[in-house]
Amino acid sequence: MTERSRQSDPVEGARPLRRDAALNRERILHAAREVFGQQGLGVTLDGVARHAGVGVGTVYRRFPTKEALIRALFEQDLRMRQEMAENALAHPDPWQGLVDFLMEMSADLAENRGLHEVLMLGEHTSEPIETARGGMLPFLEALIRRAQESGDLRPEVTPSDIPVIQHMLYAAAQFTRGRQPDIWRRYLEILLNGLRRRPDNPPLATPSLSNETVEQAMGIIRPE
């Protein structure tokens, strides 16, 4: 979440919240971000209240359901992923823009179990979250096309490869969680070495997954 968004006046419905209510709301959101990030979306609102140091009734007044709390946290996080992609597309070096995007995305997902469950597994979905998740495809297409046109990215790479790579890196981070959680950086370096186009690259023998297959695996639901 950006500093600007933290400092904006919280509004519930059409009415600005009283200062004490606004502070409670921010405390709850901060606590939820921590516990969902560490433990995933299985944490109850009671667990969020305990972590925030407030009564569970206070949580229910601000967020009547866990889904409402998850939406408040992650709709903005998913919009931020699109901002990352826009910044990557603006980088003068197409390859470095793609690398920066993969690094930022991987760092976010490796350190935030709840975000991984929302973004990659389609848990606790809503229309705004679906829109933000599904809206990443055009950015991925543009990042990949740009890096391929510059001659830096091997031509077989497709947008559907990126979510699979992110899932692999998350699994690596969880494998060594509590011991060496940043080991995903090593495996991203290995993957980037394989993604880069070189004259002696043998062609990839296995085709990529279709976008539809990846979206089904991620739980993205497209309108009929």
Side-chain angles (χ1 to χ4, degrees), residues 11-16:
V11 175
E12 193 169 80
R15 300 172 301 164

Side-chain angles (χ1 to χ4, degrees), residues 2 14 35 87 106 129 169 172 174 194:
T2 63
V35 295
N87 291 336
S106 300
I129 287 177
L169 295 172
Q174 298 308 302

Side-chain angles (χ1 to χ4, degrees), residues 105-155:
M105 281 286 291
S106 300
D108 276 356
L109 290 171
E111 297 167 5
N112 191 326
R113 180 176 170 183
L115 179 61
H116 178 266
E117 291 177 4
V118 167
L119 186 60
M120 303 298 293
L121 303 181
E123 298 188 13
H124 292 273
T125 190
S126 69
E127 184 176 350
I129 287 177
E130 285 300 306
T131 299
R133 291 169 74 231
M136 284 302 299
L137 180 58
F139 291 102
L140 294 179
E141 290 173 339
L143 284 167
I144 287 172
R145 181 172 61 251
R146 189 167 174 256
Q148 287 171 335
E149 289 173 351
S150 71
D152 293 302
L153 180 65
R154 58 189 308 156

